Amino acid sequence: MALSTGTKAPDFTLKSKNDDGLVDVTLSAKFGDQNTVLLFFPFAFTGVCQEELCTVSGGFGEYDALNAVVYGISIDSPFAQEGFAKANNITIPLLSDFNKDVSAAYDVLYSDLLGFKGVSKRSAFVINKEGEITYAWSSEDPHDMPLFDEIKAALKA
């Protein structure tokens, strides 16, 4: 079961890949300044993941207006994520949880998905400026989409 609201968000540093190379992204770097939305997704280059991340990228201005940074997280390598982002015009940073440590810390790993062990469940967390989880959602069905209206309502609260 995913971490619940009221829980201190586990801090992490993950790799992201852009045109300038690999960069480290640390969750706590936003504490005190911005709210954070974490969107865990199973695999790059799959239809539902593409739809989810393109939806968020297309409406990024709404999250920015709510003083929130949005990160997509999967177990894919940062190099695969970069290709996925470029192929689909995904503008939010994608973070590689290649070692599965962050997905495990947030308790959002499938034990088995289509024969693959340790794949991130489609999950969403809103973390406030103090580092506390104020919204948590996770699905056992990888076809379910996050409830974006609920995420935005949590950011307004």
Side-chain angles (χ1 to χ4, degrees):
M1 172 170 245
L3 294 179
S4 59
T5 59
T7 304
K8 182 75 172 170
D11 197 13
F12 60 79
T13 299
L14 292 175
K15 300 279 185 201
S16 183
K17 173 75 174 69
N18 59 34
D19 291 339
D20 296 327
L22 288 171
V23 295
D24 286 336
V25 176
T26 301
L27 174 65
S28 60
K30 298 297 180 187
F31 292 175
D33 294 324
Q34 285 185 291
N35 300 305
T36 304
V37 177
L38 302 180
L39 298 174
F40 289 85
F41 64 99
F43 292 115
F45 294 103
T46 57
V48 178
C49 296
Q50 177 182 340
E51 180 183 350
E52 173 187 3
L53 297 170
C54 287
T55 296
V56 173
S57 290
F60 183 73
E62 293 177 69
Y63 296 94
D64 193 43
L66 294 169
N67 193 31
V69 62
V70 182
Y71 298 118
I73 301 174
S74 74
I75 62 163
D76 298 291
S77 78
F79 308 100
Q81 289 177 337
E82 180 188 34
F84 176 56
K86 285 183 176 183
N88 294 287
N89 297 315
I90 296 168
T91 57
I92 66 167
L94 301 182
L95 310 180
S96 174
D97 187 22
F98 194 79
N99 295 322
K100 305 175 186 179
D101 296 332
V102 176
S103 297
Y106 282 77
D107 200 17
V108 293
L109 280 175
Y110 287 110
S111 58
D112 185 296
L113 178 65
L114 305 172
F116 297 101
K117 309 287 187 225
V119 174
S120 300
K121 294 179 182 178
R122 191 168 320 280
S123 306
F125 294 90
V126 173
I127 302 165
N128 67 16
K129 295 176 192 176
E130 291 75 39
E132 181 181 303
I133 297 172
T134 60
Y135 176 83
W137 173 88
S138 185
S139 178
E140 291 297 321
D141 184 344
H143 297 101
D144 290 344
M145 290 284 281
L147 306 169
F148 296 115
D149 288 340
E150 287 184 7
I151 292 169
K152 291 173 192 169
L155 289 166
K156 292 176 186 176

